[in-house]
Structure formats: structure tokens, C-alpha cells
Amino acid sequence: METRKRGRGVGANREGGRGNQNKYQKNESNFNRGRGGRVGLEENTLAILDTSSSASFHHLLDDRLAFLDAVRSASLVPENDNPPTKKMFVAVFQILKDESSLDLIIASYQLLFELNKRYPWVYLPKMEKSESSTPSKVHCGLIVAEEAWSPFGCNERDEATDTSGGSINPLAFHSLMQDIAKGATEERRNTIEIKSLQNMLLFQYLVNVLEGDLFPRIHAFKESLNWILLRECILNKILGSRKLSYKDLIKDCMSLIGDLSCDKTKITCDQKGKRTSLAELQKDCHGPLELALPEVEKNTCLALKKLLQMIMELDSSRNIADMTGLITRADGARIPAAEIILNELSYSSDLLFSFFLLFDEPEWKLKTIVQYFQKYIPKSSIRTRRSNGSSSDATFDGILKCFSNENSAKGIIKKMRPDVTQLLLAHGFQAFLSLSSKHSVEDASDSKQDVRGSSIMEICENVVSAFACFRKEDKQFTFSPFSREALFTAASVLSTGARS
């Protein structure tokens, strides 16, 4: 792993070559003009915020908007390519976290997102191959700008307080989720508190930072199997914090998905019932907030889904590291997130419906559905040496084949309930088709083992057969619209295949 500090060049390339370039290094000459240039920029922009405490609210608002515009002009305008200093980042972040003006919250949120995209502090460089280099000598490293600012403070000394230098520690991150849940479960009032929207935007930004830090490290880990890359990622530090209850974090994440999904449905129904016009909403002083809130809640649900996927990706990489002997006692022990998710889904069918509507990434969706079914599939009491250590039901095709046995199908439907069973069959079939459209089933990699060894025609035949079990049990059984769509798709594929 290469570690780079702003304004000092790249460690391994200080004495030779230009090294890897990104937005920071491209303007290294600007940084080395003497730190006076950046210090002057910092002083000039921060001076805008140094207003008298007796200034009116409108003056303070104007000053903070002017500060955000100054940072944008200095760092995001094409001809100006100077990353903000830590103090400038902290000031923008504090505006997002603490201000009560909708204009300031939205402006700081957008600015932080754009800065995070323009100046990533963890990234995979595009290696420039020199004339003397051979492909085998090209090292795909990871660049970490150690001096770059991060909104997270995950060091032990930072965990004693809720904030440190304007940053969020693991406990404060969890508390933020709980605050969002509290706002989502409260009944709607005529006056909508802006704090709820502010918390959701802050959470979305923090998840975006976690994503930008994690995925380059996962890519580098897969290339090098260097577990240290992932051990040092922000998400791993958050999950491993002694101040944080990891299991409660996953449970609260699942619960919040259900709350926001129900809340969104309630808002939609209320809006249909009231038929409030756009003009009427704009007359109300909270009209813009009411218009923004449904979209913000939707994006918060997506951020929660992204957080769960990142944790499962980290678990998957951790499992690989464990099998290769890279995990030590210092890494601690952690229950895989997938197990906690399955337990939560087992206790609440309402959460299960909203979760699988949101959780649309096909590979993880199919894995979760297969694991859910395996909790209710009867286990054979007879094990041979050949069958030991492997399960024939560990694929979606194996799950479907369990429905070919009338007694087995009856038992699964009774344990899981018909509405849950048909929902998971339909979602599993949808995920299988999505995966098979990207990768041929015969050439599927190990990561796609849920679809390996099964043809689309066989899966469609088994889907039709599985859905027929519901009518065998109850001739008056009614399929949900989503199940009917899955059954129609399977029948159409079989019909097309028969004609060809």
C-alpha cells in the first residue's frame, strides 16, 4: 500500500519518476508554492465566518452561504483545483451538522458530496507503465492521503466524546441512526421539524464517505490479499469499536428500513387523500421541506441498504482472510451481518416485505433468500461421507427442487406461511434472472454459486412446479401481483424455448 501525504510527493517515488497522479498530485506544485498559498486561502474563506455574535440571523445566513460559495469557487471551479484544508472541511461539515437553515443544510450537503467525489482520499491509481516495466512488475497499490480530512474519528482517544475536531465517532454514528428512527416513527405534525431531514442528509453523506473508503480497499485486497488494507478501513474500525454494539447497529438499520418504508407509504396515502396542490404547499413556510422530505427518505433507505451491503462485503472479504490465516486475535470476533439480518427477517413479515423490495442487488438478494429457505427446509437425518460438508440445497435450484416433494413443499409452506413463501420464490427467481443475464450459468464464478449448475429452462420449470404447490394445498389460493408476474415470466421463457 502506498501512503501519500499532500504536498510531499508519493513515498515510493520521491527520488524517481512522477509517480501516480490524481487531483491532489496534479496540483502538487500549487501546494509546494509555500503553504502560504493554501494558508491564505484558508484564512480568507474562514474570515467570512468570523462575524459578530450580535449579527442578525439573516446576516449570519448570508455569511455562511458566502463561505460555501467561496469554498466551491476555490476548489470545484475547473481552473481552480485546490482541495480545501482540514479547517475548511470541518467548517463546511459543521454547517451541515449544526445549522437549522434549510438553505445552508442543502448547500453544505451538496458541497461535501462534490468535494468527496473530486478529491477522494482513498483511491486506486491508474498505473502508468514505464518503458522498462513489464506487466508482471506493475504493482496495483492503494493510495491513501493521510493528511486528508475525514468526517469520522475512529481512534480510541476520539471515542471518549461524541465529536472530536468536528468528526463523528462510532457511537455518534449509531446515535444518528437512532435519531432518524425516532423522527420516522413520530406522528406527522403540521410543522415538520427540519432536524429530521438534516439527520438523514448527514447520514447519507457519511455512508457515501464509507463507500468511497471501502470499495477501493476491497478491490486492492482481492488483488493482493493484504488484510491490513481492510483492517484499517473506517467501516471495520466502526464495527470493531468497543463503544458500539455491532448487533444493535444491524438491528437498528433493519428496523429503520421498515420504519421509513412504512412512513413513505403513509405520506403517499396522505397526499392522495388530501390532494394538496403544489401552490398550497408553497404558500406554507414549510412547503419546500414537505416537498423534499419524501425524496430524502427514499435516498436514506438506499443509504441504509448500501451500508448493509458494505458490511456484508466486508464480512465476505474477512472470511477469505480468515481462511488464508490472515485474521489474528487482534481483529476480534464478529457475527456475520447476514445471520443477524436473517434472524430479524424471521421475526417480522412486514419487515421482510419492505426489505426485499429495497434490497435489489441480485447476488446478495439471492444468497439471502437461499439462506432464509434453508432455515425451514427439512434436514436429512442420514448423512454419508460423500454428502458430509456440502449441502445439495445451497443453491436456488436446490431450494426449488425441495418443492417437487409434496410433503416437503407442504412443510415449508406451513412453516414459512404462504404469503412469505411465494414472495421469496418470486424475488429469488427475479434475482436469478438478473444474475444469469450478466453471466452465463455454465461459466458462473464461485461468487455466483447460487446460480451455478442450473439452466434457465430448468429453473423456470421448477418455479412453475413450486408455485403449483400452493394450489395443491389450497385451490382458492390467490397469488400476489408480483408472484403472478414471476409465474408469467417463467411460463413465457418455457414457451419460447419450446417453440425454438
Side-chain angles (χ1 to χ4, degrees), residues 180-194 196-197 200 259-268 270-271 274 289-298:
I180 295 173
K182 190 181 299 182
T185 53
E186 288 178 354
E187 293 184 1
R188 291 281 168 191
R189 303 168 184 170
N190 293 331
T191 303
I192 301 176
E193 293 184 3
I194 198 171
S196 179
L197 181 139
M200 287 188 283
D259 291 340
L260 289 177
S261 299
C262 293
D263 198 45
K264 184 182 173 186
T265 304
K266 181 180 177 183
I267 292 173
T268 305
D270 290 345
Q271 287 176 345
K274 293 180 180 178
L289 187 57
E290 291 186 15
L291 290 171
L293 202 56
E295 185 66 20
V296 173
E297 288 181 338
K298 173 186 174 183

Side-chain angles (χ1 to χ4, degrees), residues 252-369:
D252 287 344
C253 192
M254 296 287 293
S255 177
L256 186 51
I257 287 175
D259 291 340
L260 289 177
S261 299
C262 293
D263 198 45
K264 184 182 173 186
T265 304
K266 181 180 177 183
I267 292 173
T268 305
C269 293
D270 290 345
Q271 287 176 345
K272 287 181 180 178
K274 293 180 180 178
R275 298 179 180 271
T276 306
S277 67
L278 180 63
E280 289 174 342
L281 282 174
Q282 290 176 338
K283 286 180 183 179
D284 185 4
C285 61
H286 292 283
L289 187 57
E290 291 186 15
L291 290 171
L293 202 56
E295 185 66 20
V296 173
E297 288 181 338
K298 173 186 174 183
N299 290 332
T300 302
C301 276
L302 296 177
L304 289 163
K305 177 192 73 171
K306 190 180 295 184
L307 177 61
L308 288 177
Q309 288 179 346
M310 286 191 292
I311 294 175
M312 288 191 288
E313 288 282 0
L314 183 59
D315 286 343
S316 178
S317 297
R318 181 188 172 96
N319 186 47
I320 294 173
D322 191 21
M323 289 189 295
T324 52
L326 301 176
I327 299 296
T328 65
R329 183 177 295 181
D331 291 300
R334 193 164 69 227
I335 300 174
E339 291 186 20
I340 304 174
I341 291 172
L342 285 173
N343 288 335
E344 290 299 297
L345 294 177
S346 301
Y347 294 136
S348 174
S349 59
D350 291 336
L351 177 59
L352 186 142
F353 294 140
S354 59
F355 179 79
F356 281 112
L357 284 174
L358 177 70
F359 205 71
D360 55 359
E361 202 286 319
E363 182 179 352
W364 283 113
K365 175 187 262 191
L366 192 57
K367 283 183 178 181
T368 305
I369 290 173

Side-chain angles (χ1 to χ4, degrees), residues 1 16 49 87 163 231 263 314 318 331 335 342 373 384 450 489:
M1 178 179 71
L49 299 178
K87 289 184 178 180
T163 59
R231 179 187 291 161
D263 198 45
L314 183 59
R318 181 188 172 96
D331 291 300
I335 300 174
L342 285 173
F373 269 112
T384 64
D450 289 333
T489 302

Side-chain angles (χ1 to χ4, degrees), residues 53-91:
S53 59
S54 61
S56 67
F57 170 78
H58 293 292
H59 287 160
L60 291 174
L61 175 62
D62 291 341
D63 288 341
R64 279 154 178 73
L65 289 173
F67 166 73
L68 296 177
D69 286 339
V71 175
R72 179 181 295 277
S73 298
S75 302
L76 294 176
V77 175
E79 58 269 18
N80 297 332
D81 204 7
N82 300 306
T85 64
K86 286 186 178 181
K87 289 184 178 180
M88 294 164 65
F89 262 118
V90 169

Side-chain angles (χ1 to χ4, degrees), residues 18 191 210 234 281 308 400 415 461 473:
R18 295 179 61 189
T191 303
L210 291 175
I234 300 173
L281 282 174
L308 288 177
L400 293 175
K415 289 179 181 178
E461 288 177 358
E473 291 299 313

Side-chain angles (χ1 to χ4, degrees), residues 81-113:
D81 204 7
N82 300 306
T85 64
K86 286 186 178 181
K87 289 184 178 180
M88 294 164 65
F89 262 118
V90 169
V92 178
F93 184 68
Q94 291 285 12
I95 290 175
L96 171 61
K97 192 161 65 75
D98 299 329
E99 290 293 336
S100 58
S101 164
L102 182 60
D103 290 338
L104 285 175
I105 292 171
I106 297 297
S108 57
Y109 166 79
Q110 292 175 337
L111 179 58
L112 285 170
F113 251 87

